[in-house]
Amino acid sequence: MTVMSLRITENEKIHILKWAKQEGVDKSNAVRELLEYGWKFVLLERFRHGKISLEFLAEELNITVSEAMDFVAEYGAASSLDYDDYIQSKEAIAKVF
């Protein structure tokens, strides 16, 4: 792991301490968890606003496109896939198998 030093506001410190207490983890783990949640949220928002593709979302989260679709659905973000995308995917899969 890499060590990083940074300045945070008092409010950010309070959030970290609250999270650590609620989750029963130390401050370092709390910060890592919050950063991971924040990264996922930023990517989800970028996807929802059409700034990134589902494939890019999956790559950034290190998951499959199918898992990314589940992730998007779990958080209520509409997928931009339409019927033509579905048909193209089916055809691509049929070529492989």
Side-chain angles (χ1 to χ4, degrees):
M1 256 187 240
T2 302
V3 175
M4 180 182 277
S5 175
L6 57 115
R7 290 187 173 97
I8 60 173
T9 66
E10 187 64 28
N11 198 39
E12 292 164 337
K13 177 183 163 187
I14 290 168
H15 292 316
I16 292 166
L17 294 174
K18 281 182 182 178
W19 186 258
K21 184 176 181 180
Q22 289 173 1
E23 296 300 308
V25 296
D26 61 33
K27 290 182 286 188
S28 293
N29 281 321
V31 169
R32 284 191 286 275
E33 288 175 8
L34 289 169
L35 281 171
E36 187 64 25
Y37 286 132
W39 181 242
K40 288 178 180 180
F41 178 77
V42 166
L43 290 171
L44 182 62
E45 283 298 298
R46 291 183 72 206
F47 174 77
R48 286 184 52 217
H49 293 289
K51 294 181 180 177
I52 62 172
S53 68
L54 188 64
E55 182 179 5
F56 184 83
L57 175 69
E59 287 174 9
E60 287 296 308
L61 295 177
N62 199 27
I63 59 177
T64 66
V65 172
S66 177
E67 290 169 326
M69 290 172 73
D70 292 342
F71 173 74
V72 166
E74 180 180 345
Y75 289 95
S79 176
S80 60
L81 295 176
D82 59 17
Y83 184 73
D84 290 334
D85 293 326
Y86 169 74
I87 294 299
Q88 287 176 353
S89 297
K90 252 184 106 169
E91 290 171 355
I93 289 171
K95 289 178 184 176
V96 173
F97 296 104

Coordinates of all heavy atoms in Angstrom, one line a residue:
M1 N 0.8 -1.2 0.0 CA 0.0 0.0 0.0 C 0.9 1.2 0.0 O 1.9 1.2 0.6 CB -0.9 0.0 1.2 CG -2.3 -0.4 1.0 SD -3.3 -0.1 2.4 CE -3.9 -1.8 2.6
T2 N 0.4 2.3 -0.6 CA 1.1 3.6 -0.6 C 0.6 4.5 0.5 O -0.6 4.5 0.8 CB 0.8 4.3 -2.0 OG1 1.2 3.4 -3.0 CG2 1.5 5.6 -2.1
V3 N 1.5 5.2 1.1 CA 1.1 6.2 2.1 C 0.9 7.5 1.4 O 1.7 8.0 0.6 CB 2.1 6.3 3.2 CG1 1.8 7.4 4.2 CG2 2.3 4.9 3.9
M4 N -0.2 8.2 1.8 CA -0.5 9.5 1.2 C -0.9 10.5 2.4 O -1.7 10.1 3.2 CB -1.6 9.4 0.2 CG -2.0 10.7 -0.5 SD -3.3 10.6 -1.6 CE -2.5 10.0 -3.1
S5 N -0.4 11.6 2.4 CA -0.7 12.6 3.4 C -1.6 13.7 2.7 O -1.2 14.2 1.6 CB 0.5 13.2 4.0 OG 0.2 14.3 4.9
L6 N -2.6 14.1 3.3 CA -3.5 15.2 2.7 C -4.2 15.9 3.8 O -4.4 15.4 4.9 CB -4.5 14.6 1.7 CG -5.4 13.5 2.2 CD1 -6.8 14.0 2.2 CD2 -5.2 12.3 1.4
R7 N -4.6 17.1 3.5 CA -5.4 17.9 4.4 C -6.8 17.7 4.2 O -7.3 17.7 3.0 CB -5.0 19.4 4.3 CG -3.6 19.7 4.7 CD -3.4 21.3 4.7 NE -2.1 21.6 5.3 CZ -1.0 21.8 4.6 NH1 -1.0 21.7 3.3 NH2 0.1 22.1 5.2
I8 N -7.6 17.6 5.3 CA -9.1 17.5 5.2 C -9.7 18.5 6.0 O -9.1 19.0 7.0 CB -9.5 16.0 5.5 CG1 -9.1 15.7 7.0 CG2 -9.0 15.0 4.6 CD1 -9.7 14.4 7.5
T9 N -11.0 18.8 5.7 CA -11.7 19.8 6.5 C -12.2 19.1 7.8 O -12.2 17.8 7.9 CB -12.9 20.3 5.7 OG1 -13.8 19.2 5.5 CG2 -12.5 20.9 4.4
E10 N -12.6 19.9 8.7 CA -13.2 19.3 10.0 C -14.4 18.5 9.7 O -14.6 17.4 10.3 CB -13.5 20.5 10.9 CG -13.9 20.0 12.3 CD -12.8 19.3 13.1 OE1 -11.6 19.6 12.9 OE2 -13.2 18.5 13.9
N11 N -15.2 18.9 8.7 CA -16.4 18.2 8.4 C -16.1 16.8 7.8 O -16.7 15.8 8.1 CB -17.2 19.0 7.4 CG -18.7 18.6 7.3 OD1 -19.3 18.2 8.3 ND2 -19.2 18.6 6.0
E12 N -15.0 16.8 6.9 CA -14.6 15.5 6.4 C -14.1 14.6 7.5 O -14.3 13.4 7.4 CB -13.5 15.8 5.3 CG -14.1 16.4 4.1 CD -13.0 17.0 3.2 OE1 -11.9 17.3 3.6 OE2 -13.3 17.2 2.0
K13 N -13.4 15.1 8.4 CA -12.9 14.4 9.5 C -14.0 13.8 10.3 O -14.0 12.6 10.7 CB -12.0 15.2 10.5 CG -11.5 14.5 11.7 CD -10.7 15.6 12.6 CE -10.6 15.0 14.0 NZ -10.0 16.0 14.9
I14 N -15.1 14.5 10.5 CA -16.2 14.1 11.3 C -16.9 12.9 10.5 O -17.3 11.9 11.1 CB -17.2 15.2 11.5 CG1 -16.7 16.2 12.5 CG2 -18.6 14.7 12.0 CD1 -17.4 17.5 12.7
H15 N -17.0 13.0 9.2 CA -17.6 12.0 8.4 C -16.8 10.7 8.5 O -17.3 9.6 8.6 CB -17.7 12.4 6.9 CG -18.6 13.4 6.6 ND1 -19.9 13.5 7.1 CD2 -18.5 14.5 5.8 CE1 -20.5 14.5 6.7 NE2 -19.7 15.2 5.9
I16 N -15.4 10.8 8.5 CA -14.6 9.6 8.6 C -14.7 9.0 9.9 O -14.9 7.7 10.0 CB -13.1 10.0 8.3 CG1 -12.9 10.5 6.9 CG2 -12.1 8.9 8.7 CD1 -11.6 11.2 6.6
L17 N -14.7 9.8 11.0 CA -14.9 9.2 12.3 C -16.3 8.6 12.5 O -16.3 7.5 13.1 CB -14.7 10.3 13.4 CG -13.2 10.9 13.4 CD1 -13.2 12.1 14.4 CD2 -12.2 9.8 13.8
K18 N -17.3 9.2 12.0 CA -18.6 8.6 12.1 C -18.7 7.2 11.3 O -19.2 6.2 11.9 CB -19.7 9.5 11.5 CG -20.1 10.6 12.4 CD -21.2 11.4 11.7 CE -21.6 12.6 12.5 NZ -22.6 13.4 11.8
W19 N -18.1 7.2 10.1 CA -18.1 6.0 9.4 C -17.3 4.9 10.1 O -17.8 3.7 10.1 CB -17.6 6.2 8.0 CG -17.7 5.0 7.1 CD1 -16.7 4.1 6.7 CD2 -18.9 4.5 6.4 NE1 -17.2 3.2 5.9 CE2 -18.5 3.4 5.7 CE3 -20.2 5.0 6.4 CZ2 -19.4 2.6 5.0 CZ3 -21.1 4.2 5.6 CH2 -20.7 3.1 5.0
A20 N -16.2 5.2 10.6 CA -15.3 4.3 11.3 C -16.1 3.7 12.5 O -16.1 2.5 12.7 CB -14.1 4.9 11.8
K21 N -16.8 4.5 13.2 CA -17.5 4.0 14.4 C -18.7 3.1 13.9 O -18.9 2.1 14.5 CB -18.1 5.2 15.2 CG -18.8 4.8 16.4 CD -19.2 6.0 17.3 CE -19.9 5.5 18.6 NZ -20.3 6.7 19.4
Q22 N -19.5 3.6 12.9 CA -20.6 2.8 12.5 C -20.2 1.5 11.9 O -20.9 0.5 12.1 CB -21.4 3.6 11.4 CG -22.1 4.8 11.9 CD -22.7 5.7 10.8 OE1 -22.6 5.3 9.6 NE2 -23.3 6.8 11.1
E23 N -19.1 1.4 11.2 CA -18.7 0.2 10.6 C -17.7 -0.6 11.4 O -17.4 -1.8 11.0 CB -18.0 0.5 9.2 CG -19.0 1.1 8.2 CD -20.1 0.2 7.9 OE1 -19.9 -1.0 7.5 OE2 -21.3 0.7 8.0
G24 N -17.3 -0.1 12.5 CA -16.4 -0.8 13.4 C -15.0 -1.0 12.8 O -14.4 -2.1 13.0
V25 N -14.5 0.0 12.1 CA -13.2 -0.1 11.5 C -12.4 1.1 11.9 O -12.9 2.0 12.5 CB -13.3 -0.1 9.9 CG1 -14.1 -1.3 9.4 CG2 -14.0 1.2 9.4
D26 N -11.1 1.0 11.7 CA -10.2 2.1 12.0 C -10.3 3.2 11.0 O -11.0 3.0 9.9 CB -8.7 1.6 12.2 CG -8.1 1.0 10.9 OD1 -8.5 1.5 9.8 OD2 -7.3 0.1 11.0
K27 N -9.7 4.3 11.3 CA -9.9 5.5 10.4 C -9.3 5.2 9.0 O -9.9 5.7 8.0 CB -9.2 6.7 11.0 CG -9.9 7.3 12.2 CD -9.2 8.5 12.8 CE -7.9 8.1 13.5 NZ -7.3 9.1 14.2
S28 N -8.2 4.5 8.9 CA -7.6 4.3 7.6 C -8.5 3.4 6.7 O -8.7 3.7 5.5 CB -6.3 3.5 7.8 OG -5.3 4.3 8.4
N29 N -9.1 2.4 7.3 CA -10.1 1.6 6.5 C -11.3 2.4 6.2 O -11.9 2.2 5.1 CB -10.4 0.3 7.3 CG -9.4 -0.7 7.2 OD1 -8.8 -0.9 6.2 ND2 -9.1 -1.4 8.3
A30 N -11.7 3.2 7.1 CA -12.9 4.1 6.8 C -12.7 5.0 5.6 O -13.5 5.1 4.8 CB -13.3 4.9 8.1
V31 N -11.5 5.6 5.6 CA -11.1 6.4 4.5 C -11.1 5.6 3.2 O -11.7 6.1 2.1 CB -9.8 7.2 4.7 CG1 -9.3 7.9 3.4 CG2 -9.9 8.2 5.8
R32 N -10.5 4.5 3.2 CA -10.4 3.6 2.0 C -11.8 3.2 1.5 O -12.1 3.3 0.3 CB -9.6 2.4 2.2 CG -8.1 2.7 2.2 CD -7.3 1.4 2.2 NE -7.3 0.7 3.5 CZ -6.4 1.0 4.5 NH1 -5.5 2.0 4.4 NH2 -6.5 0.3 5.6
E33 N -12.7 2.8 2.4 CA -14.1 2.5 2.1 C -14.8 3.7 1.5 O -15.5 3.5 0.5 CB -14.8 1.9 3.3 CG -14.3 0.6 3.7 CD -15.0 0.1 5.0 OE1 -16.0 0.7 5.5 OE2 -14.6 -1.0 5.5
L34 N -14.7 4.8 2.1 CA -15.4 6.0 1.6 C -14.9 6.4 0.3 O -15.7 6.8 -0.6 CB -15.3 7.1 2.6 CG -16.1 7.0 3.9 CD1 -15.7 8.0 5.0 CD2 -17.6 7.0 3.7
L35 N -13.6 6.3 0.1 CA -13.1 6.6 -1.3 C -13.6 5.7 -2.3 O -14.0 6.1 -3.4 CB -11.5 6.6 -1.3 CG -10.8 7.8 -0.7 CD1 -9.3 7.5 -0.5 CD2 -11.0 9.0 -1.5
E36 N -13.7 4.4 -2.0 CA -14.2 3.4 -3.0 C -15.7 3.7 -3.3 O -16.1 3.7 -4.4 CB -14.0 2.0 -2.4 CG -14.4 0.9 -3.4 CD -13.5 0.9 -4.6 OE1 -12.3 1.4 -4.6 OE2 -13.9 0.4 -5.7
Y37 N -16.5 4.0 -2.2 CA -17.9 4.3 -2.4 C -18.0 5.6 -3.3 O -18.8 5.7 -4.2 CB -18.6 4.5 -1.1 CG -18.9 3.2 -0.4 CD1 -18.6 3.1 1.0 CD2 -19.5 2.1 -1.0 CE1 -18.9 1.9 1.7 CE2 -19.7 0.9 -0.3 CZ -19.4 0.9 1.0 OH -19.7 -0.3 1.7
G38 N -17.2 6.6 -3.0 CA -17.2 7.8 -3.7 C -16.9 7.6 -5.2 O -17.5 8.2 -6.1
W39 N -15.8 6.8 -5.4 CA -15.4 6.5 -6.8 C -16.6 5.9 -7.6 O -16.9 6.2 -8.7 CB -14.2 5.7 -6.8 CG -13.7 5.4 -8.2 CD1 -13.5 4.1 -8.7 CD2 -13.2 6.3 -9.2 NE1 -13.0 4.2 -10.0 CE2 -12.8 5.5 -10.3 CE3 -13.1 7.7 -9.2 CZ2 -12.3 6.1 -11.5 CZ3 -12.6 8.2 -10.4 CH2 -12.2 7.5 -11.5
K40 N -17.2 4.9 -7.0 CA -18.3 4.2 -7.6 C -19.5 5.2 -7.9 O -20.1 5.2 -9.0 CB -18.9 3.1 -6.7 CG -17.9 1.9 -6.7 CD -18.4 0.8 -5.8 CE -17.5 -0.4 -5.7 NZ -18.0 -1.4 -4.8
F41 N -19.7 6.1 -6.9 CA -20.8 7.1 -7.1 C -20.5 8.0 -8.3 O -21.3 8.3 -9.1 CB -21.0 7.9 -5.8 CG -22.1 8.9 -6.0 CD1 -23.4 8.6 -6.0 CD2 -21.8 10.2 -6.1 CE1 -24.4 9.5 -6.1 CE2 -22.7 11.2 -6.2 CZ -24.1 10.9 -6.2
V42 N -19.2 8.5 -8.3 CA -18.8 9.4 -9.4 C -19.0 8.7 -10.8 O -19.5 9.3 -11.7 CB -17.4 9.9 -9.2 CG1 -16.8 10.5 -10.5 CG2 -17.3 10.8 -8.0
L43 N -18.6 7.5 -10.9 CA -18.7 6.8 -12.1 C -20.2 6.6 -12.5 O -20.6 6.7 -13.6 CB -18.0 5.4 -12.0 CG -16.5 5.5 -12.0 CD1 -15.9 4.1 -11.7 CD2 -15.9 6.0 -13.3
L44 N -21.0 6.2 -11.5 CA -22.4 6.0 -11.7 C -23.0 7.3 -12.2 O -23.8 7.3 -13.2 CB -23.1 5.6 -10.5 CG -24.6 5.3 -10.5 CD1 -24.9 4.1 -11.5 CD2 -25.1 4.9 -9.2
E45 N -22.7 8.4 -11.6 CA -23.3 9.7 -12.1 C -22.8 10.1 -13.5 O -23.6 10.6 -14.3 CB -22.8 10.8 -11.1 CG -23.6 10.8 -9.8 CD -25.1 11.1 -10.1 OE1 -25.5 12.2 -10.6 OE2 -25.9 10.2 -9.8
R46 N -21.5 9.8 -13.8 CA -21.0 10.1 -15.1 C -21.7 9.2 -16.1 O -22.1 9.6 -17.2 CB -19.5 9.9 -15.2 CG -18.8 10.9 -14.4 CD -17.3 10.8 -14.5 NE -16.9 11.2 -15.8 CZ -15.8 10.7 -16.4 NH1 -15.0 9.9 -15.8 NH2 -15.5 11.1 -17.6
F47 N -22.0 7.9 -15.8 CA -22.8 7.0 -16.7 C -24.2 7.6 -16.9 O -24.7 7.6 -18.0 CB -22.8 5.6 -16.1 CG -23.7 4.7 -16.9 CD1 -23.2 4.2 -18.1 CD2 -24.9 4.4 -16.5 CE1 -24.0 3.4 -18.9 CE2 -25.8 3.6 -17.3 CZ -25.3 3.0 -18.5
R48 N -24.9 7.9 -15.8 CA -26.2 8.4 -15.9 C -26.4 9.6 -16.8 O -27.4 9.8 -17.4 CB -26.8 8.8 -14.5 CG -27.1 7.5 -13.6 CD -27.7 7.9 -12.3 NE -28.8 8.8 -12.4 CZ -29.1 9.8 -11.6 NH1 -28.3 10.1 -10.6 NH2 -30.1 10.6 -11.8
H49 N -25.3 10.4 -16.8 CA -25.4 11.7 -17.6 C -24.8 11.5 -19.0 O -24.6 12.4 -19.7 CB -24.7 12.8 -16.9 CG -25.4 13.2 -15.6 ND1 -26.6 13.9 -15.7 CD2 -25.1 13.0 -14.3 CE1 -27.0 14.1 -14.4 NE2 -26.2 13.6 -13.6
G50 N -24.5 10.2 -19.3 CA -24.0 9.9 -20.7 C -22.6 10.3 -21.0 O -22.2 10.4 -22.1
K51 N -21.8 10.5 -19.9 CA -20.4 10.9 -20.1 C -19.5 9.8 -20.3 O -18.4 9.9 -20.8 CB -20.0 11.8 -18.9 CG -20.7 13.1 -18.9 CD -20.3 14.0 -17.8 CE -21.1 15.3 -17.8 NZ -20.7 16.1 -16.6
I52 N -19.9 8.6 -19.8 CA -19.1 7.4 -20.0 C -20.0 6.2 -20.4 O -21.2 6.2 -20.2 CB -18.3 7.0 -18.7 CG1 -19.3 6.6 -17.6 CG2 -17.3 8.0 -18.3 CD1 -18.6 6.1 -16.3
S53 N -19.4 5.3 -21.1 CA -20.2 4.1 -21.6 C -20.3 3.0 -20.5 O -19.5 3.1 -19.5 CB -19.5 3.5 -22.8 OG -18.2 2.9 -22.4
L54 N -21.2 2.1 -20.7 CA -21.3 1.0 -19.8 C -20.0 0.2 -19.8 O -19.6 -0.3 -18.7 CB -22.5 0.1 -20.2 CG -22.9 -1.0 -19.2 CD1 -23.4 -0.4 -17.9 CD2 -24.0 -1.9 -19.9
E55 N -19.4 0.0 -20.9 CA -18.1 -0.7 -21.0 C -17.0 0.0 -20.2 O -16.3 -0.7 -19.4 CB -17.7 -0.9 -22.4 CG -16.4 -1.7 -22.6 CD -16.0 -1.8 -24.0 OE1 -16.6 -1.3 -24.9 OE2 -15.0 -2.6 -24.2
F56 N -16.9 1.3 -20.3 CA -15.9 2.0 -19.5 C -16.2 1.9 -18.0 O -15.3 1.7 -17.2 CB -15.9 3.5 -19.9 CG -14.9 4.3 -19.2 CD1 -13.6 4.3 -19.7 CD2 -15.2 5.1 -18.1 CE1 -12.6 5.0 -19.1 CE2 -14.2 5.8 -17.4 CZ -12.9 5.8 -17.9
L57 N -17.5 2.0 -17.6 CA -17.9 1.8 -16.2 C -17.4 0.5 -15.7 O -16.8 0.4 -14.6 CB -19.4 2.0 -16.1 CG -20.0 1.7 -14.7 CD1 -19.6 2.8 -13.7 CD2 -21.5 1.6 -14.8
A58 N -17.7 -0.6 -16.5 CA -17.3 -1.9 -16.1 C -15.7 -2.0 -15.9 O -15.2 -2.6 -15.0 CB -17.8 -2.9 -17.1
E59 N -15.0 -1.4 -16.9 CA -13.6 -1.5 -16.8 C -13.0 -0.7 -15.6 O -12.2 -1.3 -14.9 CB -12.9 -0.8 -18.1 CG -13.1 -1.6 -19.3 CD -12.6 -0.9 -20.6 OE1 -12.0 0.2 -20.5 OE2 -12.9 -1.4 -21.7
E60 N -13.6 0.4 -15.3 CA -13.1 1.2 -14.1 C -13.5 0.5 -12.8 O -12.7 0.7 -11.8 CB -13.8 2.6 -14.1 CG -13.2 3.5 -15.2 CD -11.7 3.8 -14.9 OE1 -11.4 4.2 -13.8 OE2 -10.9 3.6 -15.9
L61 N -14.6 -0.2 -12.8 CA -14.9 -1.0 -11.6 C -14.3 -2.4 -11.5 O -14.5 -3.1 -10.6 CB -16.5 -1.0 -11.4 CG -17.2 0.3 -11.2 CD1 -18.7 0.1 -11.2 CD2 -16.7 1.0 -10.0
N62 N -13.6 -2.7 -12.6 CA -13.0 -4.1 -12.7 C -14.1 -5.2 -12.6 O -13.9 -6.1 -11.8 CB -11.9 -4.2 -11.7 CG -10.9 -5.3 -12.0 OD1 -10.8 -5.7 -13.2 ND2 -10.4 -5.9 -11.0
I63 N -15.2 -5.0 -13.3 CA -16.2 -6.0 -13.3 C -16.7 -6.2 -14.8 O -16.2 -5.5 -15.6 CB -17.5 -5.5 -12.5 CG1 -18.0 -4.2 -13.0 CG2 -17.1 -5.4 -11.0 CD1 -19.3 -3.7 -12.2
T64 N -17.5 -7.2 -15.0 CA -18.0 -7.5 -16.3 C -19.1 -6.5 -16.7 O -19.6 -5.8 -15.8 CB -18.6 -8.9 -16.4 OG1 -19.7 -9.0 -15.6 CG2 -17.5 -10.0 -16.0
V65 N -19.3 -6.4 -18.0 CA -20.4 -5.5 -18.4 C -21.7 -6.0 -17.8 O -22.6 -5.1 -17.4 CB -20.5 -5.5 -20.0 CG1 -21.7 -4.7 -20.5 CG2 -19.2 -4.8 -20.6
S66 N -22.0 -7.2 -17.8 CA -23.2 -7.8 -17.1 C -23.3 -7.3 -15.7 O -24.4 -6.9 -15.2 CB -23.2 -9.3 -17.2 OG -24.3 -9.8 -16.6
E67 N -22.2 -7.4 -14.9 CA -22.2 -6.9 -13.6 C -22.4 -5.4 -13.5 O -23.1 -4.9 -12.6 CB -20.9 -7.3 -12.9 CG -20.8 -8.8 -12.6 CD -19.4 -9.2 -12.2 OE1 -18.4 -8.6 -12.6 OE2 -19.3 -10.2 -11.4
A68 N -21.9 -4.7 -14.4 CA -22.1 -3.3 -14.5 C -23.5 -2.9 -14.7 O -24.1 -2.0 -14.1 CB -21.2 -2.6 -15.6
M69 N -24.2 -3.7 -15.6 CA -25.6 -3.5 -15.8 C -26.4 -3.7 -14.5 O -27.3 -3.0 -14.2 CB -26.1 -4.5 -16.9 CG -25.6 -4.1 -18.3 SD -26.0 -5.3 -19.5 CE -27.7 -5.0 -19.7
D70 N -26.0 -4.8 -13.8 CA -26.7 -5.0 -12.5 C -26.4 -3.9 -11.5 O -27.3 -3.5 -10.8 CB -26.2 -6.3 -11.9 CG -26.7 -7.6 -12.7 OD1 -27.6 -7.4 -13.5 OD2 -26.0 -8.6 -12.5
F71 N -25.2 -3.4 -11.5 CA -24.8 -2.3 -10.6 C -25.7 -1.0 -10.9 O -26.2 -0.4 -10.0 CB -23.3 -2.0 -10.8 CG -22.8 -0.7 -10.1 CD1 -22.7 -0.7 -8.7 CD2 -22.5 0.4 -10.8 CE1 -22.2 0.4 -8.0 CE2 -22.1 1.5 -10.1 CZ -21.9 1.5 -8.8
V72 N -25.8 -0.7 -12.2 CA -26.5 0.4 -12.6 C -28.0 0.3 -12.2 O -28.6 1.2 -11.7 CB -26.4 0.6 -14.2 CG1 -27.4 1.6 -14.7 CG2 -25.0 1.1 -14.5
A73 N -28.6 -0.9 -12.5 CA -30.0 -1.2 -12.1 C -30.2 -1.1 -10.6 O -31.2 -0.6 -10.2 CB -30.4 -2.6 -12.7
E74 N -29.2 -1.6 -9.9 CA -29.3 -1.6 -8.4 C -29.5 -0.2 -7.8 O -30.2 0.0 -6.9 CB -28.1 -2.3 -7.8 CG -28.1 -2.4 -6.3 CD -26.9 -3.0 -5.7 OE1 -26.1 -3.7 -6.5 OE2 -26.6 -2.9 -4.5
Y75 N -28.8 0.7 -8.5 CA -28.9 2.1 -8.0 C -29.9 3.0 -8.8 O -29.9 4.2 -8.7 CB -27.5 2.7 -8.0 CG -26.7 2.1 -6.9 CD1 -25.8 1.1 -7.2 CD2 -26.8 2.6 -5.6 CE1 -25.1 0.5 -6.2 CE2 -26.0 2.0 -4.6 CZ -25.2 1.0 -4.9 OH -24.5 0.4 -3.9
G76 N -30.7 2.3 -9.6 CA -31.8 3.0 -10.3 C -31.4 3.9 -11.4 O -32.2 4.8 -11.8
A77 N -30.2 3.7 -11.9 CA -29.8 4.5 -13.1 C -30.2 3.8 -14.4 O -30.0 2.6 -14.5 CB -28.3 4.7 -13.1
A78 N -30.9 4.4 -15.2 CA -31.4 3.8 -16.5 C -30.2 3.5 -17.4 O -29.3 4.3 -17.6 CB -32.4 4.7 -17.1
S79 N -30.3 2.3 -18.0 CA -29.3 2.0 -18.9 C -29.7 2.6 -20.3 O -30.8 2.6 -20.6 CB -29.2 0.4 -19.0 OG -28.3 0.1 -20.0
S80 N -28.7 3.0 -21.1 CA -28.9 3.5 -22.4 C -29.0 2.5 -23.5 O -29.0 2.8 -24.6 CB -27.9 4.6 -22.7 OG -26.6 3.9 -22.7
L81 N -29.0 1.2 -23.1 CA -29.1 0.1 -24.1 C -30.5 0.1 -24.6 O -31.5 0.2 -23.9 CB -28.8 -1.2 -23.4 CG -27.4 -1.4 -22.9 CD1 -27.2 -2.7 -22.2 CD2 -26.4 -1.2 -24.0
D82 N -30.6 -0.1 -26.0 CA -31.9 -0.2 -26.6 C -32.0 -1.6 -27.2 O -31.1 -2.4 -27.2 CB -32.1 0.9 -27.6 CG -31.1 1.0 -28.7 OD1 -30.4 0.0 -28.9 OD2 -31.1 2.0 -29.4
Y83 N -33.1 -1.8 -28.0 CA -33.3 -3.1 -28.6 C -32.2 -3.5 -29.6 O -31.8 -4.6 -29.6 CB -34.7 -3.1 -29.2 CG -35.0 -4.5 -29.8 CD1 -35.4 -5.5 -29.0 CD2 -35.0 -4.7 -31.2 CE1 -35.7 -6.8 -29.5 CE2 -35.3 -5.9 -31.7 CZ -35.7 -7.0 -30.9 OH -36.0 -8.2 -31.4
D84 N -31.8 -2.5 -30.4 CA -30.7 -2.7 -31.3 C -29.4 -3.2 -30.7 O -28.7 -4.1 -31.2 CB -30.4 -1.5 -32.2 CG -31.6 -1.2 -33.1 OD1 -32.3 -2.1 -33.5 OD2 -31.8 0.0 -33.5
D85 N -29.1 -2.6 -29.5 CA -27.9 -3.0 -28.8 C -28.0 -4.5 -28.3 O -27.1 -5.2 -28.4 CB -27.7 -2.1 -27.5 CG -27.3 -0.7 -27.9 OD1 -26.6 -0.5 -28.9 OD2 -27.7 0.2 -27.1
Y86 N -29.2 -4.8 -27.9 CA -29.5 -6.2 -27.5 C -29.3 -7.2 -28.6 O -28.7 -8.2 -28.5 CB -30.9 -6.3 -26.9 CG -31.4 -7.7 -26.7 CD1 -31.0 -8.4 -25.6 CD2 -32.3 -8.2 -27.5 CE1 -31.4 -9.7 -25.4 CE2 -32.8 -9.5 -27.3 CZ -32.3 -10.3 -26.3 OH -32.8 -11.5 -26.1
I87 N -29.9 -6.8 -29.8 CA -29.7 -7.7 -30.9 C -28.3 -7.9 -31.4 O -27.8 -9.0 -31.6 CB -30.6 -7.2 -32.1 CG1 -32.1 -7.2 -31.7 CG2 -30.3 -8.0 -33.4 CD1 -32.6 -8.7 -31.5
Q88 N -27.5 -6.8 -31.4 CA -26.1 -6.8 -31.7 C -25.3 -7.7 -30.8 O -24.5 -8.5 -31.2 CB -25.5 -5.4 -31.8 CG -26.0 -4.6 -33.0 CD -25.4 -3.2 -32.9 OE1 -24.8 -2.8 -32.0 NE2 -25.7 -2.5 -34.0
S89 N -25.7 -7.6 -29.5 CA -25.0 -8.4 -28.5 C -25.3 -9.9 -28.7 O -24.4 -10.7 -28.6 CB -25.4 -8.0 -27.1 OG -25.0 -6.7 -26.8
K90 N -26.6 -10.2 -29.0 CA -27.0 -11.6 -29.2 C -26.2 -12.1 -30.4 O -25.7 -13.3 -30.4 CB -28.5 -11.6 -29.5 CG -29.3 -12.3 -28.3 CD -30.7 -12.4 -28.7 CE -31.0 -13.8 -29.0 NZ -32.4 -14.1 -29.1
E91 N -26.1 -11.3 -31.5 CA -25.4 -11.8 -32.7 C -23.9 -12.0 -32.4 O -23.4 -13.0 -32.9 CB -25.6 -10.8 -33.8 CG -27.1 -10.8 -34.4 CD -27.3 -9.6 -35.3 OE1 -26.4 -8.7 -35.5 OE2 -28.5 -9.5 -35.8
A92 N -23.3 -11.1 -31.6 CA -21.9 -11.3 -31.3 C -21.7 -12.5 -30.5 O -20.7 -13.3 -30.7 CB -21.4 -10.0 -30.6
I93 N -22.5 -12.8 -29.6 CA -22.4 -14.0 -28.7 C -22.6 -15.3 -29.6 O -21.9 -16.2 -29.5 CB -23.4 -14.0 -27.6 CG1 -23.0 -12.9 -26.6 CG2 -23.5 -15.4 -26.9 CD1 -24.0 -12.7 -25.5
A94 N -23.6 -15.2 -30.5 CA -23.8 -16.4 -31.4 C -22.6 -16.7 -32.3 O -22.3 -17.9 -32.5 CB -25.0 -16.1 -32.3
K95 N -21.8 -15.7 -32.7 CA -20.6 -15.9 -33.5 C -19.5 -16.6 -32.7 O -18.8 -17.4 -33.2 CB -20.1 -14.6 -34.0 CG -20.9 -14.0 -35.1 CD -20.4 -12.6 -35.5 CE -21.3 -12.0 -36.5 NZ -20.8 -10.6 -36.9
V96 N -19.5 -16.3 -31.4 CA -18.5 -16.9 -30.5 C -18.8 -18.3 -30.2 O -17.9 -19.2 -30.2 CB -18.3 -16.1 -29.2 CG1 -17.4 -16.8 -28.2 CG2 -17.8 -14.7 -29.5
F97 N -20.0 -18.6 -30.0 CA -20.5 -20.0 -29.6 C -21.1 -20.6 -30.8 O -21.6 -21.6 -30.9 CB -21.4 -19.9 -28.4 CG -20.8 -19.4 -27.2 CD1 -21.0 -18.1 -26.7 CD2 -19.9 -20.1 -26.4 CE1 -20.4 -17.6 -25.6 CE2 -19.3 -19.6 -25.3 CZ -19.6 -18.4 -24.9

